[in-house]
C-alpha cells in the first residue's frame, strides 16, 4: 500500500526519515564536485524540509517563493542575498528569507544547509 507522501513525491525513500532516531543532519546529504545536491526529507501540505550540499562557487540564482523559508547552515559558509542585501551565514546560523522577497544563495566555500519552507495558514 502506498501512503500520500509516496504519491506526492514519487519515492517514499526521498521524504521519510526513521522516527524516534537521532540523526546527524549534515550527514544526510553528500557533496558532489561542481554541483548542488538536494534531498527532500519531509514534504506535506504545511511545507517541505530539503537538505542541500553546495560545492564551492555553486549557487542558486535569484528567485522568490510564496512561502517563508528558513535556512539553517549545517556546514561551511555561504552568502545569501535577500531583497538585494547580502547576508553571510556559517555553520550553526539560521537565516529567515521572507515570502515573496527575491533571494539567492552562493557558496563562498563548500557548505550544507537545511531549507525549511512553511506555507501560511490557508494557502
Amino acid at each position: 500500500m502506498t501512503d500520500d507522501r509516496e504519491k506526492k513525491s514519487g519515492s517514499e525513500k526521498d521524504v521519510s526519515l526513521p522516527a524516534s532516531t537521532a540523526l546527524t543532519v549534515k550527514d544526510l546529504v553528500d557533496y558532489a564536485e561542481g554541483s548542488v545536491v538536494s534531498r527532500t526529507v519531509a514534504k506535506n501540505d504545511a511545507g517541505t524540509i530539503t537538505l542541500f550540499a553546495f560545492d564551492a562557487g555553486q549557487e542558486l540564482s535569484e528567485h522568490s517563493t510564496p512561502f517563508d523559508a528558513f535556512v539553517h547552515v549545517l556546514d561551511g559558509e555561504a552568502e545569501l542575498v535577500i531583497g538585494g542585501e547580502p547576508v553571510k551565514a556559517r555553520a550553526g546560523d539560521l537565516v529567515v528569507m521572507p515570502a515573496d522577497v527575491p533571494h539567492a544563495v552562493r557558496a563562498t566555500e563548500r557548505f550544507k544547509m537545511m531549507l525549511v519552507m512553511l506555507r501560511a495558514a490557508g494557502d
Side-chain angles (χ1 to χ4, degrees):
M1 182 176 214
T2 305
D3 70 12
D4 288 341
R5 289 180 303 178
E6 188 173 356
K7 289 177 189 172
K8 290 179 186 175
S9 70
S11 171
E12 184 176 335
K13 180 181 177 200
D14 292 338
V15 295
S16 66
L17 297 174
S20 306
T21 303
L23 301 169
T24 303
V25 178
K26 70 179 184 176
D27 293 342
L28 298 176
V29 64
D30 294 319
Y31 290 112
E33 188 173 336
S35 298
V36 176
V37 177
S38 67
R39 178 182 177 198
T40 300
V41 295
K43 182 176 182 179
N44 63 33
D45 292 339
T48 61
I49 300 173
T50 306
L51 305 177
F52 289 87
F54 288 71
D55 198 11
Q58 297 299 306
E59 59 186 44
L60 294 178
S61 59
E62 184 176 76
H63 62 283
S64 61
T65 65
F67 317 112
D68 287 331
F70 301 82
V71 171
H72 181 197
V73 180
L74 305 169
D75 186 42
E77 186 174 295
E79 180 179 82
L80 307 160
V81 178
I82 304 168
E85 296 295 321
V87 177
K88 280 195 172 192
R90 61 180 52 98
D93 290 346
L94 178 70
V95 180
V96 177
M97 298 187 298
D100 302 315
V101 175
H103 55 270
V105 180
R106 186 174 68 82
T108 54
E109 61 183 58
R110 280 186 148 193
F111 95 103
K112 294 180 180 183
M113 71 178 196
M114 177 170 50
L115 177 67
V116 178
M117 292 185 23
L118 298 176
R119 290 173 175 78
D123 280 353

